[in-house]
Amino acid sequence: GLVGSEMCIRDRPVIDRAARVIRNSGYSADQVTFTGFGLGLFAALCIALGFYAFAILPLLASRALDGLDGAVARAGVATDRGAFLDIGLDFVFYGLIPLAFAVANPEANALAAATLLAAFVGTGSSFLAYAIIAEKRGLKSTDFPNKSFYYLGGLTEGTETIACFVAMCLWPQHFAALAYFYAALCAVTTATRLLAGWKVFGVPKD
């Protein structure tokens, strides 16, 4: 999946301490979400203009804030609106980065970017479809209990996706190869999620 940047920060106590500092400074989880998204937009703009290496810092800062907004919400009062904004803006961000590479060099990158975006549609739609049906059935994720929805993991998580984006920024001349490779991994994630849904939801609801 594309979401799950919170897993980029492995140390839960560090996340919680940072969240409390942000919360005590008067900032809301929604403000953290919008700030992270704004940094992501800036990173995409840098890439589109050809400033690939310069885009790495705002890209990583964006995802760090995305990993913190949920913890900030839990430090106060978590809301459905916040969860909606978080996941919605996440998907926009992940779509903008391949698009930015296509804008920067259409001849070399457009087809590879389109392929990667199609793969993202597969991972994203299978992720959300599973979460919707799981919620309908009252299923809870034991692996990610802090998530506000059922979180189904996969081969291509947020951490892996960000690592791929950083590699693309470091070696933009190899964007196409990296994009095709990661698209193949996303296809595996989509297939495993579809298979999981086929098995789990084939059992009649109690």
Side-chain angles (χ1 to χ4, degrees), residues 3 83 86-87 127-128 131 135 141 144 146-151:
V3 295
D86 185 18
I87 191 169
F127 174 87
L128 292 174
E135 179 70 19
S141 175
F144 305 98
N146 291 322
K147 295 292 183 181
S148 56
F149 50 87
Y150 194 101
Y151 191 97

Side-chain angles (χ1 to χ4, degrees), residues 38-103:
L39 287 168
L41 287 177
F42 181 61
L45 177 62
C46 291
I47 291 169
L49 295 176
F51 302 115
Y52 303 110
F54 189 76
I56 294 176
L57 183 58
L59 191 155
L60 292 175
S62 169
R63 296 304 88 193
L65 289 179
D66 180 59
L68 282 171
D69 56 5
V72 173
R74 291 189 295 272
V77 179
T79 65
D80 290 340
R81 182 183 71 178
F84 171 76
L85 285 174
D86 185 18
I87 191 169
L89 294 180
D90 274 354
F91 277 98
V92 174
F93 163 79
Y94 285 115
L96 286 175
I97 299 302
L99 176 61
F101 277 99
V103 170

Side-chain angles (χ1 to χ4, degrees), residues 2 17 20 27 32 40 50 54 60-61 72 105 109 113 116 118 145 151-152 154 162 168 176 196:
L2 300 177
R17 283 198 298 271
R20 285 194 296 270
Y27 297 101
V32 176
F54 189 76
L60 292 175
V72 173
N105 191 342
N109 296 341
L116 184 57
Y151 191 97
L152 180 65
I162 296 306
M168 290 170 173

